[in-house]
Structures are given as C-alpha cells and as structure tokens.
Amino acid sequence: MTTHTDSADKLALRNTLIEGIGGYMTAHSIGVFAELGIADLIKDGVRGSDELAAESNTHEPSLRRLLRTLTAVGLATEPEPGRFGLTAVGSQLRSDSPDSLRAFSRMFCHPILLRAWQGLEHSVTTGERAFDHVYGKDFYTYVAEQGAANKLFNEAMGEESRIAAARLAAGYDFSRAEKIVDLGGGDGTLLAAVLPAHPHLKGIVFDSPGGVAEAPEVLKRAGIEERCEARAGDFFQDIPGDGDLYVIKSVFQDWSDEDSYALLRSCRAQIPASATLLIVGTVMPETSSPENPIMFFTDLNMLVNTGGRERTENEFRTMLEETGFSVERVLLGAAGPLSVIEARPAAAR
Ligand SMILES: C[S@@+](CC[C@H](N)C(=O)[O-])C[C@H]1O[C@@H](n2cnc3c(N)ncnc32)[C@H](O)[C@@H]1O
C-alpha cells in the first residue's frame, strides 16, 4: 500500500531530477536577463514590469514571465504582483557592482558556448572536444576571431578572477618578489589586485594578442600602468625571462596532459632557475561528492570546449616533478575557492 510518506518521497525525488533537467532553462533565463541588462534597471529598487519592458524594449507579458521565473529561482523578488526587485544573488548581474558577474553570465550563456555544449554527447562518446566538432576549430582560435565575444570572454574571466585575485593579494607573501609575470593573465585583473597592494612589485601580464587586448585599460584603471606591462606572446614558445615570480592562474585546466607537459617544459626552460612558479586553480578531490558541483561542471566544460581538465593534487605533483620542478607547498583553498601550488625549478641533476 502506498503511504503519504512514500508519495512525498517520490515527489521529492522526481522534483530533484526535473530541476536538474531544467538547468538549461535556468541558464537561458539568466543569460537573457543579463544580456538585456534588466538588473541595471532595477538596481535602485522595485519596479513594474511595464516600465522595465518599455526601457528594455521587450514584450511586457513575456518579460514578466521571465522575471517571475527568476524570482522562483532566487534572483529577483516580486513583492507585489507585476513589480520586481533584485535579491543579493540577482544583484551580481548589475554592471556597476564590484562583484558583478554580468559578463561572466553573458559569456557562459552565450550561444557560442550553449551550442558547443550540445556536442557533449560527442565528447563523452569519443573523448574529443565538442567545440572543435561543432565549429571546426579550437576554442581560442575561434573566439579570437569574434571581436565582441573575445572581449566578453576576457571580461568574463576578469570577473571570475576578482575574488581569488583579492585573496591572493592579501594572503600570499610577495615580499621577496620583485617582478611578477602572470602567464595567460588575460585582462590583467590579477595583477590589478596584487600590484596596488604591494607597491614594490613590477609586473607583466602575458597572454595571446586576443587575450591581452583589454589588459592595458584594466592596468590603467588600477593606476599601475607605469610598473606593469601588457605583453602579447605564446606561452608555449616565448615566456618572458625577466621575472622572479611566475603566476599561472586557471590555465592548466584548459589543456590536455600532453599540452600541459609542454607548457611546463616551456616554463622550466625559460624562467630563471631561482624563480618561483605559482599555479593558482582548482585542485580536485580524489573522489566526487555533491558538496561542490561547480568544479565538476568546470571540468566537464573543459572536456567540451578546450579538451583540458581539472586535476588532483597528486596529478599536479606528478606533472611538475616530471617536468623539472619541485613542489614547495600546496595551499589548498588559499585563493578561495582556488588553491595555490608553489613550485621551483628543481636543481639540475
Ligand atoms: C581560462 S583563461 C584564464 C585567464 C586568467 N589567468 C584568469 O584566471 O582570469 C586562459 C587564458 O590563457 C590564454 N592563452 C591561451 N593560449 C595561450 C597561449 N598560447 N599563450 C598565452 N596565453 C594563452 C587565454 O587567452 C586566456 O586568457
């Protein structure tokens, strides 16, 4: 006989699955909300969907349905029928928020990435990058050709980096360093946090021509353009040799083991023997659990888009040791939520 408890449990199980399936609808809804800039229109308080539709040039009854749905998932509030405000979560979609994730949301909900994710089954069945399968070229080559999307990607990475950059700037001992080189440093957000907090440091943001394009503006805004250069190049070929602290944040996840070994060998050959290498990124646990699904989705995102993957502490140690580095310290969560692995070129045997 079916009891009330049985059916309540069944309903809960069913809802958990259906909410999971609806994840793509949530992503699309957040993406449209971010793209239309609705959070900027309600930043000063609750407003009617009629005013919001007029100002965003949208269809009022449909916008209202979007806002009700975003209220249901915790981004907005609807204190009176048809009037909407922002929650703290939704406020992160304001362009003027210091914690803004608007570009990040627009990028990850961008048709380029959503279409690549439609190739997930291809990746899972073949192990190949879905991105290349869908677009006929690799992620960074493709994105570099898209002016607006390239700029959006750089801005999105900068937004994603802000908390980790601030924590690194406050928590890591930079006193012995003189010149810090941020390899794959994107728009320079990391050095724009570190250098103002450590006035003795000089810096170089090093990235591909497309990756570094926004850096001069970010460095200028941080007031560090006199002591920090934005330099374009290929870190597999020509790493600046005049630094003493090399940071490489959220980069190895982009690359296969073969490419990651090549990148570490390039670092080992070109950085001074006395330099320190700081890898900042996710360090995966040995087994998965429901505690932090984001890192597992990021890992899957790399399978789809770049052919890279997240790695465990042991995997990082092995890669570093096999490419001529010795691991000095592993500071788990030190650039929360990211970890810091400190390594040095091992003495030649
Ligand atoms: C995931 S993003 C991380 C950016 C930045 N470090 C951060 O954490 O926000 C990876 C970066 O690596 C850069 N990159 C990719 N291939 C590169 C190459 N061959 N040489 C230099 N940079 C490269 C990309 O342009 C991009 O900025």
Side-chain angles (χ1 to χ4, degrees), residues 264-284:
L264 281 171
R265 287 198 184 97
S266 168
C267 291
R268 180 67 181 89
Q270 294 179 78
I271 73 173
S274 57
T276 299
L277 182 69
L278 277 193
I279 297 178
V280 181
T282 297
V283 172
M284 291 281 264

Side-chain angles (χ1 to χ4, degrees), residues 139-140 150 153-154 156-162 182-190 206-212 231-238 247-255 263 280 302 306 338:
F139 178 84
Y140 283 113
N150 184 66
F153 176 77
N154 292 335
M157 291 300 101
E159 284 184 355
E160 193 266 342
S161 283
R162 258 187 230 141
D182 187 7
L183 296 172
D187 77 349
T189 293
L190 189 135
F206 185 84
D207 206 297
S208 63
V212 84
R231 198 182 295 177
D234 175 358
F235 51 34
F236 289 104
Q237 305 292 333
D238 53 359
V247 178
I248 183 155
K249 178 188 163 296
S250 304
V251 165
F252 284 102
Q253 65 190 33
D254 277 346
W255 302 100
L263 179 50
V280 181
M302 297 304 146
T306 66
L338 304 180

Side-chain angles (χ1 to χ4, degrees), residues 94-222:
R94 288 169 54 165
S95 320
D96 65 347
S97 162
D99 304 316
S100 183
L101 287 173
R102 183 175 174 215
F104 183 85
S105 306
R106 289 177 60 216
M107 184 67 209
F108 278 88
C109 303
H110 194 284
I112 294 177
L113 291 194
L114 294 175
R115 205 177 134 212
W117 265 80
Q118 288 174 0
L120 175 63
E121 188 174 346
H122 176 80
S123 286
V124 172
T125 46
T126 63
E128 293 170 3
R129 298 187 286 234
F131 193 95
D132 303 34
H133 180 65
V134 172
Y135 292 99
K137 54 183 77 167
D138 71 84
F139 178 84
Y140 283 113
T141 304
Y142 182 87
V143 169
E145 293 165 359
Q146 316 293 314
N150 184 66
K151 191 167 188 296
L152 184 62
F153 176 77
N154 292 335
E155 200 186 335
M157 291 300 101
E159 284 184 355
E160 193 266 342
S161 283
R162 258 187 230 141
I163 290 183
R167 295 205 172 151
L168 196 69
Y172 185 77
D173 178 8
F174 290 96
S175 61
R176 278 170 300 151
E178 289 179 11
K179 190 164 193 178
I180 172 166
V181 181
D182 187 7
L183 296 172
D187 77 349
T189 293
L190 189 135
L191 292 190
V194 171
L195 264 61
H198 302 277
H200 71 282
L201 281 176
K202 292 193 171 66
I204 301 175
V205 181
F206 185 84
D207 206 297
S208 63
V212 84
E214 273 66 55
E217 195 188 314
V218 171
L219 301 177
K220 191 154 188 242
R221 239 185 287 136

